[in-house]
C-alpha cells in the first residue's frame, strides 16, 4: 500500500488542482491531502475560501482518499503521522526539494519527493479566476450563482 | 437502476453545489449532471468559468457518475436520452415544478421531480464568493493561487 501525500491551499478549485491531485493519486494506492491552514498562508494573499470549506471541497474530489487540515505550528507533524511513501509538490510550490528531503530525513522519513508538472488551461489558477472576476464583475456589480 | 438527473451552472464550486449533488445521488443509483451552456445562462450574469471547465470540475466530484453539457437549443433533449426516474431541482432553481412535470409528460417522460433543500453555509453560493473577492481583493489587486 503506497501512500501519497499532496499539499496545498486549494482556494478556488480549478483543473490545475485536479490535475495535481490526479497525478499524485496515480503514484500510489491512497492519496492523503493536507490543506493549508488560513493562518499559515503568508507567502500570498489570504485565501478567499475559509479553511473548513477548502477542506470540504478537496475531500469531495474523486482522486482524494483522505483530506485533513495542516498543523498550525509544525508542517511536518501530519506527514510524520501519515508516513507516506511519496510526497508530491505542485509545479508552483516553492519548496527547495533538497532541503525538504533533508527535513524529512531529520524526522525519520524517507519519502520520495516528486514534482508534478504544471497543467495548462485558460483558468487553471485561482489567481486568474480572481483576476477574471475583478475584470468582468467590478463595474457591473457582484452576481452569479 | 434508478437514474437521477441534476442540473445547474456550477460556476465556482462550493458546498451548496456539493450538497445538492450528494442529496440527488442518494435518491438513486446513478447520478447524471447536466451542466448549463454558457450561451444559455441568461437569467443571471454570465458564468466566470467557461462551460468546458465547469463540466470538468463537476465530473470530478465524488457523487457524480456522468456529467454532460446541456443542449444549446432544447433543454429536454439530454433528459429524453437519459430517461431518468428522478429529476432534482436546487432550492434556488426557479422552475415551476408543475409546468416542468407537464413538459416532461409531453415528451413521454414521467420522471419524479424532487426539490432539494438549501444548504446553509457562509460561502455556499458562487455570488457570495464573487462578492467576497470584490470586497477583499479590489483595493489590494488580484492575487492568490
Amino acid at each position: 500500500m503506497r501512500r501519497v501525500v499532496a499539499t496545498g491551499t486549494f482556494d478556488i478549485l480549478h483543473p490545475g488542482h485536479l490535475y495535481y491531485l490526479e497525478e499524485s493519486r496515480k503514484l500510489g494506492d491512497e492519496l492523503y491531502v493536507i490543506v493549508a491552514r488560513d493562518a499559515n498562508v503568508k507567502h500570498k494573499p489570504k485565501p478567499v475560501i475559509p479553511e473548513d470549506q477548502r477542506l470540504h471541497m478537496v475531500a469531495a474530489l474523486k482522486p482524494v482518499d483522505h483530506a485533513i487540515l495542516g498543523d498550525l505550528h509544525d508542517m511536518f507533524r501530519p506527514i510524520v503521522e501519515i508516513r507516506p511513501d511519496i510526497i508530491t509538490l505542485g509545479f508552483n510550490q516553492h519548496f527547495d526539494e533538497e532541503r525538504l528531503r533533508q527535513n524529512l530525513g531529520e524526522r525519520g522519513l524517507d519519502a520520495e519527493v516528486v514534482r508534478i508538472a504544471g497543467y495548462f488551461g485558460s483558468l487553471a489558477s485561482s489567481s486568474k479566476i480572481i483576476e477574471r472576476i475583478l475584470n468582468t464583475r467590478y463595474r457591473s456589480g457582484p452576481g452569479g450563482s
Side-chain angles (χ1 to χ4, degrees), chain A:
Chain A
M1 194 75 157
R2 280 165 77 78
R3 287 185 183 168
V4 183
V5 160
T7 66
T9 308
F10 305 101
D11 191 16
I12 294 174
L13 286 183
H14 57 68
H17 292 136
L18 186 59
Y19 178 79
Y20 167 55
L21 295 173
E22 284 169 344
E23 292 301 302
S24 298
R25 179 65 181 72
K26 285 181 193 165
L27 298 174
D29 306 296
E30 212 173 13
L31 177 62
Y32 289 75
V33 183
I34 303 174
V35 175
R37 305 298 296 252
D38 290 339
N40 290 348
V41 178
K42 291 173 180 161
H43 58 293
K44 57 186 180 186
K46 285 285 169 203
V48 172
I49 311 292
E51 60 190 19
D52 289 341
Q53 183 161 329
R54 292 185 283 108
L55 177 68
H56 186 64
M57 295 308 292
V58 165
L61 295 173
K62 286 175 179 167
V64 178
D65 298 295
H66 309 277
I68 57 169
L69 287 176
D71 189 87
L72 280 170
H73 308 293
D74 176 6
M75 65 173 274
F76 289 99
R77 194 195 50 76
I79 298 174
V80 168
E81 282 171 19
I82 296 165
R83 302 200 73 78
D85 300 281
I86 295 171
I87 297 176
T88 59
L89 298 177
F91 79 106
N92 62 352
Q93 286 180 313
H94 305 294
F95 284 106
D96 178 324
E97 294 173 44
E98 214 30 73
R99 201 168 150 204
L100 177 60
R101 281 189 193 93
Q102 197 184 317
N103 287 332
L104 290 169
E106 286 163 8
R107 301 296 194 104
L109 293 165
D110 66 346
E112 197 182 333
V113 176
V114 177
R115 176 76 66 177
I116 304 291
Y119 170 90
F120 297 99
S122 61
L123 279 176
S125 138
S126 302
S127 56
K128 281 186 195 157
I129 293 171
I130 289 170
E131 206 178 312
R132 182 168 180 146
I133 289 168
L134 295 174
N135 288 341
T136 60
R137 295 293 178 85
Y138 189 70
R139 282 185 184 78
S140 60
S145 144

